[in-house]
Amino acid sequence: MPASERIPPGSLTVPDRLGLLARGELTVRGQVREASNAVLLCSVAYEGREAECVYKPVAGERPLWDFPDGTLAQREVAAYEVSEATGWGLVPPTVLRDGPYGPGMVQLWIEGDPSASLLALVDGEDPGDGWKAVGLAQVAEDRTALLVHADDVRLRRLAVLDAVINNGDRKGGHLLPAADGRLYAIDHGVTFNVDDKLRTLLWGWAGEPLPAEALEVLAALEASLAPGAPLATRLAELLTAAEVTAVRERVAALRASGRHPEPSGRWPAIPWPPV
């Protein structure tokens, strides 16, 4: 759509953006072909306002052995709800609604800033100032390099969020630094499993003490996840009772340890492909 008609992500209040996504008319403009599930690029228009968004219909979800069929869209919305409860706003506004191909999740489109660098490959064993080491990566038949991510407070917050929602697929391509300096994260379909599924590129802080800010957020999350509390009630509409209980337990465990989680060894620690 013409640039003059687009609504930038930060130009409306959160309720306004959610209302636009939930009640607007969806028009499919294209498809992300390389995605493993159906990902449709759309415009959404309501009461004279229009924005770009992503629509993932439940009918286009590929069955997964470790997640119940037809639940990925709900998990995307649940990840947004938890992100909002942290106050960090790391997940773009996301709703569950009917669309041209049936029910699915609809999320505000975020245009990433291609000039921002959050991941890199470096020679040697020293990540360098401002970077955290993830591990060695095979970059050629006879060459390895150290995979690093930025030592960035936005990424550290996201690492905490991923631990809470048990994200099984935090790839580099899911990180969208926006031109306004904010960081958004997308693709949260494989989250909230009751088993430990954490797979991420953000292991640079593994085992380190959680910052004070994260501990305060986790304390607030624990209160909002108490039975009958607003977040717990909302998650119960999107997840199973066992999955909501598992979220509570993960938050409590993070608070008790006071540290970023480490790879469990029972599950591949890094997603494939990593980007």
Side-chain angles (χ1 to χ4, degrees):
M1 69 188 74
S4 60
E5 297 178 7
R6 293 196 193 111
I7 296 176
S11 63
L12 292 175
T13 65
V14 170
D16 284 342
R17 284 178 281 174
L18 293 175
L20 174 63
L21 294 173
R23 294 189 286 276
E25 180 180 358
L26 279 177
T27 302
V28 177
R29 304 294 187 185
Q31 182 177 3
V32 179
R33 295 289 183 182
E34 62 269 23
S36 56
N37 297 297
V39 179
L40 304 177
L41 304 179
C42 300
S43 62
V44 59
Y46 181 67
E47 294 185 341
R49 291 183 284 205
E50 192 170 4
E52 293 173 310
C53 61
V54 172
Y55 164 46
K56 297 183 182 180
V58 171
E61 294 179 6
R62 185 176 64 180
L64 299 172
W65 69 268
D66 51 350
F67 287 85
D69 292 352
T71 67
L72 304 191
Q74 292 161 242
R75 297 170 193 279
E76 295 251 24
V77 177
Y80 168 72
E81 297 288 353
V82 175
S83 169
E84 286 300 287
T86 65
W88 290 331
L90 292 166
V91 179
T94 311
V95 302
L96 195 66
R97 58 162 289 177
D98 282 330
Y101 298 101
M105 85 84 169
V106 175
Q107 185 175 81
L108 190 68
W109 174 266
I110 301 295
E111 194 68 48
D113 180 1
S115 67
S117 179
L118 297 175
L119 297 167
L121 290 167
V122 299
D123 293 322
E125 299 181 358
D126 183 0
D129 292 341
W131 297 90
K132 304 290 286 187
V134 179
L136 290 174
Q138 192 80 32
V139 295
E141 186 175 345
D142 59 350
R143 177 174 173 254
T144 60
L146 186 66
L147 176 63
V148 299
H149 64 68
D151 189 3
D152 186 306
V153 65
R154 301 169 301 170
L155 287 182
R156 193 164 192 174
R157 290 169 176 171
L158 184 58
V160 175
L161 176 66
D162 282 341
V164 169
I165 66 177
N166 197 16
N167 192 350
D169 195 35
R170 174 59 71 213
K171 297 176 179 176
H174 300 166
L175 307 174
L176 298 178
D180 64 1
R182 291 192 58 177
L183 174 70
Y184 293 93
I186 59 171
D187 285 350
H188 296 100
V190 287
T191 49
F192 296 101
N193 200 293
V194 295
D195 298 323
D196 181 7
K197 298 282 186 180
L198 186 59
R199 283 199 309 182
T200 177
L201 289 181
L202 304 181
W203 286 116
W205 298 284
E208 292 187 13
L210 290 164
E213 176 198 40
L215 292 172
E216 291 174 6
V217 165
L218 289 170
L221 271 184
E222 192 165 47
S224 66
L225 286 165
L231 180 59
T233 300
R234 178 58 176 143
L235 292 185
E237 299 170 352
L238 301 165
L239 307 170
T240 68
E243 288 166 343
V244 176
T245 296
V247 178
R248 292 192 187 102
E249 291 173 348
R250 286 193 295 271
V251 171
L254 285 167
R255 291 193 68 199
S257 72
R259 294 181 176 275
H260 285 274
E262 299 181 81
S264 68
R266 299 186 300 273
W267 179 257
I270 295 177
W272 185 262
V275 177

